[in-house]
Amino acid sequence: MNPGDIINKSQTIFIYNEDSSNPSCSIESSFMVTINNSPDVDILNDVFAINEFTLPNLINGNYYTESGGNGNQLNSGDIITDSQTIFIYNVNPINTSCNNESSFTILIEEERDVTIPNFFTPNNDGNNDTWIVNANNNLIKEIYITDRFGKIVGKIKPNTIGWNGLYNGKPLPSTTYWYQIIFTNGEAKNGAFALIRN
């Protein structure tokens, strides 16, 4: 063996030296090299889930909320409801300084239960007199309504009385209008609806 050689399995290494002028004069020492291989650890792909994610069973390693086997230990079957990075950590039981780790990210998105009407009829008959967007869990920040030229003719909040088809107190004509819904997470949804006057 030579300096720089890589040892990848446990073994005894001998160091031997002899007097070049007298081969019968020699000395030897030895030392043991113990190789502890890093333990296997499961690798999971990043996850996108609606409302919650259940941690699956592991073969190699345990779940933790922090790197290095730190934080809270989680168990297979635990339900995750918040977006976070989960660490899978495994340690060699013979040599605890020999360990291995992987991690994956869980992105939890709330289910968007949003009702967007396709039309409304502001004729004061008590049916569909306003254009109302209903949403659960305060998912929507605000809603903009524009005409075909992109001019903002209304700005409303979800789960309120809605838009009555007026702009500066005057009724707008029957036609198609466009909406942009701004969600609280910064995303936007665009679409169209009809104002129908009888």
Side-chain angles (χ1 to χ4, degrees):
M1 300 184 72
N2 299 302
D5 286 354
I6 296 174
I7 309 297
N8 57 19
K9 60 183 178 179
S10 298
Q11 57 186 289
T12 301
I13 304 294
F14 298 91
I15 303 172
Y16 176 83
N17 196 15
E18 67 178 29
D19 187 335
S20 59
S21 62
N22 182 5
S24 64
C25 182
S26 62
I27 190 168
E28 182 180 84
S29 66
S30 66
F31 62 96
M32 181 68 184
V33 176
T34 302
I35 302 295
N36 290 311
N37 293 321
S38 294
D40 292 334
V41 67
D42 288 1
I43 297 174
L44 300 182
N45 293 325
D46 291 343
V47 173
F48 175 82
I50 301 296
N51 293 333
E52 62 183 37
F53 175 74
T54 302
L55 293 177
N57 290 328
L58 293 176
I59 297 173
N60 300 295
N62 294 297
Y63 294 112
Y64 290 90
T65 57
E66 296 178 15
S67 179
N70 295 309
N72 296 321
Q73 183 173 351
L74 304 172
N75 300 304
S76 299
D78 284 355
I79 296 174
I80 305 300
T81 57
D82 296 317
S83 297
Q84 60 187 287
T85 298
I86 302 289
F87 299 88
I88 303 172
Y89 179 81
N90 202 7
V91 64
N92 188 318
I94 298 172
N95 181 359
T96 56
S97 65
C98 189
N99 54 67
N100 201 356
E101 181 178 85
S102 68
S103 66
F104 65 103
T105 299
I106 301 172
L107 179 62
I108 302 295
E109 183 80 19
E110 285 190 52
E111 184 175 9
R112 291 181 179 168
D113 185 10
V114 180
T115 303
I116 305 170
N118 295 321
F119 69 94
F120 76 115
T121 55
N123 54 13
N124 295 317
D125 66 353
N127 294 315
N128 301 315
D129 284 329
T130 57
W131 187 76
I132 302 171
V133 174
N134 292 307
N136 66 341
N137 298 329
N138 297 316
L139 290 175
I140 296 176
K141 182 178 179 182
E142 53 197 356
I143 303 165
Y144 294 95
I145 301 166
T146 61
D147 63 15
R148 62 182 177 148
F149 303 108
K151 178 181 178 181
I152 297 175
V153 295
K155 179 180 175 183
I156 60 173
K157 298 286 185 183
N159 305 321
T160 61
I161 194 170
W163 184 52
N164 57 8
L166 300 179
Y167 178 67
N168 288 336
K170 297 180 180 178
L172 291 173
S174 295
T175 188
T176 299
Y177 292 87
W178 284 261
Y179 63 82
Q180 182 180 58
I181 298 174
I182 308 296
F183 293 95
T184 53
N185 66 0
E187 294 181 7
K189 178 178 177 63
N190 299 304
F193 65 97
L195 187 162
I196 302 171
R197 295 190 184 277
N198 296 329

